[in-house]
Amino acid sequence: MASRTPSTTADRDDRTAAAPGAGRPASGDRPRRRLSVDERREQLIAVALELFSRRPPEEVSIDDIAAAAGASRPLVYHYFPGKQALYEESLRRAGRELSARFEEPMEGPLSERLFRVMGRYLDFVQSHGPGFAALLRGGSVAASAGTSAVIDEVRRAAHDQILGHLAIPSPSAGLRLTVRAWIANAEITSLEWLGERSLPLEELQLHLVQEFVAALTLTAAREPALAAELAGFFADERPDGPTGRLVRDLAGLLAVPGIVEAVTALATAAPGAAVAGPVVPVAVDEPSAQATADSAPSSNG
Amino acid sequence: MASRTPSTTADRDDRTAAAPGAGRPASGDRPRRRLSVDERREQLIAVALELFSRRPPEEVSIDDIAAAAGASRPLVYHYFPGKQALYEESLRRAGRELSARFEEPMEGPLSERLFRVMGRYLDFVQSHGPGFAALLRGGSVAASAGTSAVIDEVRRAAHDQILGHLAIPSPSAGLRLTVRAWIANAEITSLEWLGERSLPLEELQLHLVQEFVAALTLTAAREPALAAELAGFFADERPDGPTGRLVRDLAGLLAVPGIVEAVTALATAAPGAAVAGPVVPVAVDEPSAQATADSAPSSNG
């Protein structure tokens, strides 16, 4: 990733490109000065990131990037071997920027910390998502080992940040899986949202945080060590924070006719012989015959 | 997708390939007969699917497929233009097989239906996942518009099946988003599981179903129309099914010291002025300054 030293030809090219009228200038009407090698490289990446954030890679050409940077096509090729390299470098910058947004002081209720992070994350999704959505969804023509590595790194950064805030010395495999699954949930939900925008962004932000609280609670229900930690997290939460609102929403659900009765019946019922395992074993072949036999006595109403 | 008619050359080739000793025979020691055009095509796809299920595409060659099918390399090329075409056709078959596993009779408690489907799904992940994992994770060299379309179709089939079982006439955007996010959760969780196998498959099966029940409950807590439906779903659930076990696990959590107190405090507290919106607004710039100011009075225990 070291910058190359431009040849004399490229220097000349650079001067030409920066001359008035040689393309759309990147820096408006400010007085022109010759960009250094590093500055030019950074400028090309910034311009490319801007374009790749708005459109899928197949709709961005080297000519588009050169025009937006006020540079010539050969100049762009002098710094980068081709569009894919520039795309990957842009993505790397975007990944670094996104990972930086995950950083949050270790202060205040956990759900409020996550809420702030998700605000910054969703802002990033809005500004960079349209162009990178295809890549994240899979099947982009620009997908490569390089883009994959960047995406993995961002996911790992998110994972590490969350586990850092949970501050649990030895997180279980179950908890790690919960965190990764929630990250996937946040990713897919925000990408879907980008396409539909079917609810206000602030609601999405709140829902994602509440889903994390719920996923953590479910995991704690299976893991006694985590349950003890959960008590501490809940004790720090505030009524007007995401967890407080979630608790009240769920309490409100219990007022819906029939729900308290059904939940109470399930909570207090003496389960049958199958209590050690769920009703239906993992069925591989002919599972519907098995299923029908098992569920026959149950009514479907 | 129509089968091509092999030329005379390919016919001869086919006979040669099927002769004893011409490769690893696909059908063991049974008496050989010449395969029809369609049979040979199906056989090649089946053999390719088997190989592509076990290894990433870059580790499977046309020669491997030819050898496993007891065919010659030219014969394989006669039916398929190249490895990518054979890979995509294999994936298409795999996708169709997986989608068929989502089908489940509309009988019995919802969580038990989903539990059966997840058993078949996880069985599929075990048998086909290792080879297709890279594709699903994104960044596979074999990713293309074709593979993307297959994956999207499987996700859509899962989504449609779930909404079909929920049998809600006009599912809200929020519910659809919940279903899609849970599908992403199931996908990522099972792929992660494949790499680590850190818990028994039956537990993963149960957890995924319970996470769906939890996600549905959370969505219902925000949507009154869905809350009414939720009462009906819960009324059908049985104590020894996934939902019954979840309810008891969560009830058990309330016995952990401190949790009932914290949850009760959140449920009954009169929230402050910020009740209409969460504590911290969507912060784009300098969110940590905002955050520090807001959370300063709160202790960090």
Side-chain angles (χ1 to χ4, degrees):
Chain A
M1 223 102 37
S3 297
R4 303 187 208 166
T5 309
S7 67
T8 324
T9 320
D11 275 351
R12 214 175 316 134
D13 194 319
D14 210 347
R15 275 194 298 273
T16 313
R24 184 144 60 88
S27 49
D29 294 316
R30 277 178 289 151
R32 304 314 220 89
R33 64 171 184 84
R34 200 169 142 252
L35 297 176
S36 75
V37 170
D38 282 352
E39 283 170 342
R40 177 57 97 178
R41 193 170 184 279
E42 288 303 310
Q43 183 227 10
L44 289 174
I45 295 169
V47 163
L49 176 56
E50 166 67 19
L51 291 175
F52 285 130
S53 295
R54 281 192 273 125
R55 303 201 295 263
E58 58 272 27
E59 291 176 20
V60 177
S61 69
I62 287 282
D63 285 332
D64 294 337
I65 295 165
S72 69
R73 189 181 157 88
L75 181 96
V76 177
Y77 277 113
H78 185 78
Y79 282 85
F80 296 94
K83 194 171 88 171
Q84 182 70 20
L86 201 38
Y87 179 76
E88 291 187 13
E89 189 56 41
S90 303
L91 182 69
R92 215 166 282 131
R93 293 304 163 101
R96 236 174 283 160
E97 194 195 318
L98 180 53
S99 296
R101 291 180 180 217
F102 296 155
E103 279 165 36
E104 171 70 25
M106 300 272 177
E107 284 161 19
L110 271 179
S111 75
E112 294 178 26
R113 297 184 210 171
L114 186 58
F115 185 79
R116 289 188 288 268
V117 171
M118 294 315 286
R120 298 194 292 271
Y121 167 77
L122 291 171
D123 168 57
F124 182 91
V125 168
Q126 273 196 303
S127 56
H128 297 293
F132 292 115
L135 181 68
L136 287 164
R137 285 203 188 95
S140 164
V141 290
S144 69
T147 61
S148 224
V150 175
I151 296 170
D152 282 351
E153 207 166 302
V154 173
R155 287 177 184 152
R156 199 172 317 120
H159 175 260
D160 292 351
Q161 277 292 333
I162 292 175
L163 286 178
H165 279 271
L166 291 177
I168 290 167
S170 311
S172 67
L175 177 58
R176 288 178 174 279
L177 208 50
T178 296
V179 171
R180 279 192 289 250
W182 178 82
I183 291 167
N185 172 2
E187 225 176 278
I188 195 82
T189 306
S190 54
L191 287 175
E192 294 278 350
W193 176 85
L194 208 53
E196 302 182 349
R197 302 187 187 240
S198 53
L199 74 172
L201 194 67
E202 293 74 12
E203 279 186 36
L204 180 63
Q205 182 185 1
L206 180 63
H207 294 177
L208 287 172
V209 174
Q210 292 179 332
E211 279 159 15
F212 180 78
V213 174
L216 186 68
T217 304
L218 245 62
T219 311
R222 296 169 199 140
E223 301 188 5
L226 188 59
E229 302 282 347
L230 193 75
F233 301 147
F234 273 33
D236 278 346
E237 294 289 323
R238 296 189 287 191
D240 49 2
T243 302
R245 299 183 61 175
L246 173 65
V247 167
R248 285 196 305 285
D249 281 352
L250 288 172
L253 203 52
L254 293 175
V256 174
I259 289 190
V260 151
E261 294 80 353
V263 170
T264 308
L266 291 172
T268 56
V275 67
V279 175
V280 185
V282 180
V284 173
D285 291 317
E286 306 196 51
S288 57
Q290 169 78 49
T292 310
D294 274 357
S295 61
S298 165
S299 70
N300 178 30
Chain B
M1 243 158 329
S3 298
R4 304 186 207 166
T5 309
S7 68
T8 326
T9 321
D11 277 351
R12 216 177 313 132
D13 194 318
D14 210 346
R15 275 194 299 274
T16 313
R24 184 144 60 90
S27 50
D29 294 316
R30 277 177 289 151
R32 305 315 218 88
R33 65 170 183 83
R34 201 168 142 252
L35 297 175
S36 76
V37 170
D38 282 351
E39 283 170 342
R40 176 57 97 178
R41 193 170 185 279
E42 288 302 310
Q43 183 226 9
L44 289 174
I45 294 169
V47 162
L49 176 56
E50 165 67 19
L51 291 176
F52 285 129
S53 294
R54 281 191 273 124
R55 302 201 296 262
E58 57 273 26
E59 291 176 20
V60 177
S61 69
I62 287 282
D63 285 331
D64 294 336
I65 295 165
S72 68
R73 191 182 155 87
L75 180 97
V76 177
Y77 277 113
H78 185 79
Y79 282 84
F80 296 95
K83 195 171 88 170
Q84 181 70 18
L86 201 38
Y87 179 76
E88 291 187 15
E89 189 57 41
S90 303
L91 182 70
R92 214 167 281 129
R93 293 305 163 101
R96 236 176 282 161
E97 194 196 318
L98 181 53
S99 296
R101 291 181 181 218
F102 297 154
E103 280 165 35
E104 171 70 25
M106 300 271 179
E107 284 162 19
L110 271 180
S111 76
E112 294 178 26
R113 295 185 213 172
L114 186 58
F115 185 79
R116 289 188 287 270
V117 171
M118 293 316 285
R120 298 194 292 272
Y121 167 78
L122 290 172
D123 168 59
F124 182 92
V125 168
Q126 273 197 300
S127 56
H128 297 294
F132 292 115
L135 182 68
L136 286 164
R137 285 202 188 96
S140 164
V141 291
S144 69
T147 61
S148 221
V150 175
I151 296 170
D152 282 350
E153 207 167 302
V154 173
R155 286 176 184 154
R156 199 173 315 119
H159 174 260
D160 292 351
Q161 277 292 333
I162 292 175
L163 286 177
H165 280 269
L166 290 177
I168 291 166
S170 312
S172 67
L175 178 58
R176 288 178 174 279
L177 208 49
T178 296
V179 170
R180 279 192 290 250
W182 178 82
I183 290 167
N185 172 2
E187 226 176 277
I188 196 82
T189 305
S190 55
L191 287 176
E192 295 277 350
W193 177 86
L194 208 53
E196 302 182 349
R197 302 186 187 241
S198 53
L199 75 172
L201 194 67
E202 294 74 10
E203 279 186 36
L204 180 63
Q205 183 185 0
L206 180 63
H207 295 178
L208 287 172
V209 174
Q210 292 180 331
E211 279 158 16
F212 180 79
V213 174
L216 187 67
T217 304
L218 244 61
T219 312
R222 293 168 202 142
E223 301 187 5
L226 187 59
E229 302 282 347
L230 192 75
F233 301 146
F234 272 35
D236 279 347
E237 294 288 324
R238 295 189 289 190
D240 50 2
T243 303
R245 299 184 61 176
L246 172 64
V247 167
R248 285 197 304 286
D249 281 352
L250 288 172
L253 204 51
L254 293 176
V256 173
I259 290 190
V260 151
E261 293 79 353
V263 170
T264 309
L266 292 172
T268 56
V275 67
V279 175
V280 184
V282 180
V284 174
D285 289 317
E286 307 197 50
S288 56
Q290 169 78 49
T292 310
D294 273 355
S295 60
S298 166
S299 71
N300 178 30

